[in-house]
Amino acid sequence: MFRRTFWFTTGVAAGVWATTKVNRKLAKLTPESLALQAADRAVIAGRKVKLFALDVRDGMAHREAALKDALGLSAAPPEPEARALPEQRRLVALEQSPIHHSYTRKEDH
């Protein structure tokens, strides 16, 4: 009698476990669940791309600083007040007398 009760209980437990496992797998395959999984993976991929871009930008800044130091370009730029814009220059060709070309639409063809 004890053997039959043991095996019956074991069979019921195995059936409940298997049914629960199958129902969970089927729930993961519904369209809503698949859409949520895809959205979650897209968000994770976006975060990874953002972190990669930040790492690249940081590496570029370090490399640029190292290159500026190596080339001796790391000196501070002059004060904004100290820099003056150059005087405006005119082209010599514009100061000379203008050249007029006779132009007709027929010459364009």
Side-chain angles (χ1 to χ4, degrees), residues 44-102:
I44 290 170
R47 287 180 186 153
K48 287 181 180 180
V49 168
K50 183 179 178 181
L51 289 175
F52 175 73
L54 291 174
D55 286 344
V56 168
R57 185 181 299 166
D58 189 41
M60 286 176 19
H62 286 299
R63 182 64 178 151
E64 185 176 353
L67 288 173
K68 283 182 178 180
D69 287 342
L71 295 173
L73 300 174
S74 60
E79 300 281 328
E81 300 84 41
R83 293 190 321 186
L85 293 175
E87 292 184 25
Q88 188 175 12
R89 293 182 279 167
R90 296 184 54 109
L91 295 175
V92 177
L94 293 177
E95 291 176 354
Q96 295 174 354
S97 63
I99 300 172
H100 295 287
H101 294 287
S102 62

